[in-house]
Amino acid sequence: MLFVAFLLFIFALALFWQASRQQKNAGLPSGRVIYADTRAWGPLEQPLYDPVSGLTGKPDYLVEEKDQIIPVEVKSSQVSAAPYDAHIYQVAAYCLLVHRHYGKRPPFGILHYANRTFAVDYTPQLEAALLEKLDEMRQTDRRKDIPRSHDSAARCARCGYRSSCDQRLF
Ligand code: SF4
């Protein structure tokens, strides 16, 4: 349940930071607008898990590009100038998982909004910022159980952790 809590925390951060589109954290890449051929995107069957960091997650897609594996996160919302910070962290987490699982470090991850697609560079600085966040999350998790952050049965129905989650609604 600990790893589920980690993932939920990332989504909680997404909600918390959604109000701001500014890049407040030094070192966070702002994302490059790219054209993405969605036909090459392949869905992932199982979540990826990294026993070292305790992190798990399931990118919406993985795309193979020039011997590299790039994680893709799809958002149904629109965005204006730059991706949200929390979404950048989410893509960074997927890059870390891809690196640990496949042994290949993705140079970037893709954030696909309804109106725009960004490449988020997976820099050493971004990785360090992510690991710092995970550390904070671990300490938070030690202090208390993090409750389900929503009341959406539909979301649970689509969730890859449903079979092992004791808070599922569906
Ligand atoms: S099953 Fe529902 S409550 Fe559990 S992790 Fe998935 S979305 Fe959250």
Side-chain angles (χ1 to χ4, degrees):
M1 196 61 204
L2 181 66
F3 59 81
V4 174
F6 284 174
L7 194 74
L8 289 177
F9 194 81
I10 288 179
F11 292 131
L13 288 175
L15 293 175
F16 179 73
W17 282 319
Q18 197 125 10
S20 170
R21 297 182 180 201
Q22 303 301 315
Q23 301 299 309
K24 295 192 192 71
N25 297 313
L28 277 193
S30 56
R32 295 174 277 117
V33 178
I34 59 168
Y35 169 76
D37 182 358
T38 57
R39 291 171 303 181
W41 294 359
L44 194 63
E45 296 299 324
Q46 296 294 326
L48 303 175
Y49 174 59
D50 171 36
V52 177
S53 63
L55 185 68
T56 191
K58 190 166 173 287
D60 289 316
Y61 299 97
L62 292 178
V63 56
E64 286 196 56
E65 208 176 279
K66 297 177 187 162
D67 200 34
Q68 291 164 338
I69 301 172
I70 310 295
V72 180
E73 174 64 13
V74 175
K75 301 293 181 192
S76 55
S77 58
Q78 300 209 349
V79 73
S80 55
Y84 300 113
D85 286 357
H87 295 171
I88 290 174
Y89 276 114
Q90 192 178 1
V91 166
Y94 292 149
C95 286
L96 182 143
L97 285 168
V98 166
H99 188 189
R100 298 274 164 85
H101 187 83
Y102 296 102
K104 294 179 181 179
R105 182 186 174 89
F108 62 91
I110 292 175
L111 251 178
H112 181 68
Y113 291 94
N115 62 331
R116 199 168 286 189
T117 302
F118 295 90
V120 177
D121 291 328
Y122 185 47
T123 61
Q125 291 80 8
L126 179 57
E127 182 181 3
L130 170 70
L131 293 174
E132 198 175 313
K133 264 317 159 212
L134 292 175
D135 214 37
E136 287 171 21
M137 288 156 56
R138 262 184 221 104
Q139 298 196 19
T140 302
D141 197 72
R142 272 189 209 113
R143 287 197 297 270
K144 60 179 182 180
D145 286 335
I146 298 175
R148 174 168 26 80
S149 62
H150 63 86
D151 292 312
S152 168
R155 187 161 155 185
C156 290
R158 292 193 307 269
C159 177
Y161 308 100
R162 189 159 54 89
S163 60
S164 59
C165 177
D166 57 9
Q167 296 188 47
R168 63 183 179 273
L169 292 168
F170 178 83

